[in-house]
Amino acid sequence: MRHHDSLYSHAMNGEKKMRVVALLNQKGGVGKTTTTVNLGAAFAASGLRTLLIDLDPQSNLSLHFGVEASNDEPRPSTTSLFADPPLPIAQCVTQARENLWFIPADQHLALAEGQQDAQHVLANALETVREQFDVVLLDCPPGLGVLSVNALTAADEVIVPMQAQYLALRGLEKLLQTVSDITAGLNPKLRCTGVVLCMHESQSSHGRAVVEEIRQHFESCRDSDVPWNTCRLLQPPIRRNIKLAEAPSFGQTIFDYDPKCAGADDYRGVANSLIAMWNERAANDASQQSSVSST
Ligand code: ATP
Ligand code: MG
């Protein structure tokens, strides 16, 4: 059985469920875009129909696929979703590889940060492509403005790329508070489900202490009602690997550029951990559903 089939066979009522995941950290340069691209490519290689959306006016995700925004030849992009009237999302999607699609961004997307009452734009757009994709990954900009709030309003789950450093830990607290605020209003179903350690150097004792603190924090929340009570430190950590920094300059994912390097192994490993986690959860949901219907 392909992952693709096993992932959704437990979905309630036999319906396929499109899973929307925001890769979010308000701090810059932590590995959000690198993780979105390479996790997405790993999902696609497992047979999941995967859409990546660039929500950052810096357009770094687009650069990973060799797409340079040009004022001479404007192309449908995330900016088009925020236009009035918006372009249908299906017209903004470009196919990058087998099972892998993306929506590029351009610098005009920065104007969306100034739009009032625009929190539901992305969620509304994604409603129209529920049948087309299995997984949607949202590459958020650094910061917690309108674009990140759109991602949190549209997402089922948040995954946080971060470094194992003390200050990053304080940033994680703020991010979790934001997730909590969003569940209280705009998107009650939102959950923070994973932390990916990026550019990881396991030999540092400071790093090990921070990892332990993150692990203990999440364990201590298991019985509370917070939206991160199932959050896990995803395995394995992504080691610092220069190939991951080189691949985008060739418009390639790590699996195109060097499929045998440590970076490719690590992202493949995290993708498999997530697929296993989703399968487990879908199986639990299905058994709860059947025990409810048999009572
Ligand atoms: P921004 O907030 O600016 O959007 P980001 O959180 O998306 O940044 P990335 O662009 O993914 O972060 O990564 C920042 C830099 O670190 C990039 O140059 C990227 O190539 C590099 N990088 C990311 N992960 C690794 C890694 N595991 N090993 C080596 N370099 C990495
Ligand atoms: Mg980025």
Side-chain angles (χ1 to χ4, degrees):
M1 188 188 280
R2 289 180 304 155
H3 290 306
H4 177 180
D5 300 321
S6 61
L7 179 53
Y8 294 99
S9 55
H10 299 292
M12 280 194 257
N13 307 327
E15 278 173 29
K16 280 195 177 173
K17 182 179 183 299
M18 180 177 81
R19 205 175 274 278
V20 182
V21 182
L23 283 294
L24 179 74
N25 191 329
Q26 71 274 26
K27 187 168 155 50
V30 295
K32 295 180 287 291
T33 305
T34 307
T35 300
T36 306
V37 168
N38 294 305
L39 199 53
F43 286 145
S46 300
L48 295 173
R49 297 166 304 164
T50 305
L51 172 64
L52 313 179
I53 302 184
D54 192 347
L55 279 169
D56 187 347
Q58 298 178 95
S59 315
N60 286 347
L61 182 138
S62 313
L63 291 175
H64 278 247
F65 292 110
V67 170
E68 198 101 36
S70 145
N71 278 334
D72 304 332
E73 282 179 66
R75 52 186 289 154
S77 67
T78 317
T79 307
S80 323
L81 302 178
F82 285 85
D84 185 16
L87 202 63
I89 189 167
Q91 292 180 31
C92 303
V93 171
T94 301
Q95 181 151 22
R97 307 281 184 277
E98 188 183 4
N99 286 326
L100 188 64
W101 293 261
F102 72 103
I103 302 181
D106 57 36
Q107 73 275 24
H108 303 296
L109 184 59
L111 293 173
E113 289 288 13
Q115 288 185 14
Q116 303 290 317
D117 300 323
Q119 300 96 326
H120 286 98
V121 170
L122 186 62
N124 292 342
L126 284 172
E127 274 310 313
T128 63
V129 288
R130 286 216 159 264
E131 304 301 315
Q132 273 97 306
F133 301 105
D134 299 314
V135 184
V136 180
L137 301 182
L138 307 175
D139 182 22
C140 295
L144 296 168
V146 169
L147 291 164
S148 292
V149 168
N150 258 272
L152 293 173
T153 306
D156 303 297
E157 19 192 307
V158 176
I159 290 178
V160 185
M162 65 178 281
Q163 273 75 66
Q165 293 163 359
Y166 172 75
L167 287 177
L169 202 55
R170 299 283 82 87
L172 178 63
E173 286 171 11
K174 178 165 182 229
L175 195 158
L176 293 175
Q177 187 53 50
T178 303
V179 170
S180 179
D181 293 347
I182 297 279
T183 59
L186 287 166
N187 183 5
K189 71 175 188 305
L190 184 68
R191 296 289 174 269
C192 181
T193 52
V195 166
V196 190
L197 295 170
C198 294
M199 297 174 246
H200 194 59
E201 287 166 15
S202 57
Q203 61 275 35
S204 108
S205 60
H206 172 67
R208 278 199 300 273
V210 172
V211 170
E212 195 43 40
E213 193 168 333
I214 298 173
R215 196 189 312 279
Q216 282 178 10
H217 176 68
F218 287 128
E219 284 307 319
S220 73
C221 295
R222 293 291 177 240
D223 295 326
S224 61
D225 196 22
V226 290
W228 53 91
N229 59 8
T230 61
C231 188
R232 298 185 194 173
L233 257 180
L234 296 171
Q235 295 299 325
I238 310 297
R239 288 165 281 181
R240 187 177 284 283
N241 180 222
I242 188 67
K243 305 270 184 181
L244 285 165
E246 291 169 355
S249 64
F250 298 95
Q252 292 184 340
T253 74
I254 200 62
F255 305 105
D256 306 322
Y257 184 61
D258 189 348
K260 294 204 168 84
C261 73
D265 280 347
D266 292 345
Y267 275 111
R268 226 181 264 116
V270 171
N272 288 337
S273 305
L274 277 167
I275 290 172
M277 180 174 99
W278 289 336
N279 273 333
E280 202 180 297
R281 206 171 295 148
N284 284 341
D285 287 352
S287 71
Q288 273 175 14
Q289 177 85 349
S290 65
S291 66
V292 168
S293 51
S294 64
T295 52

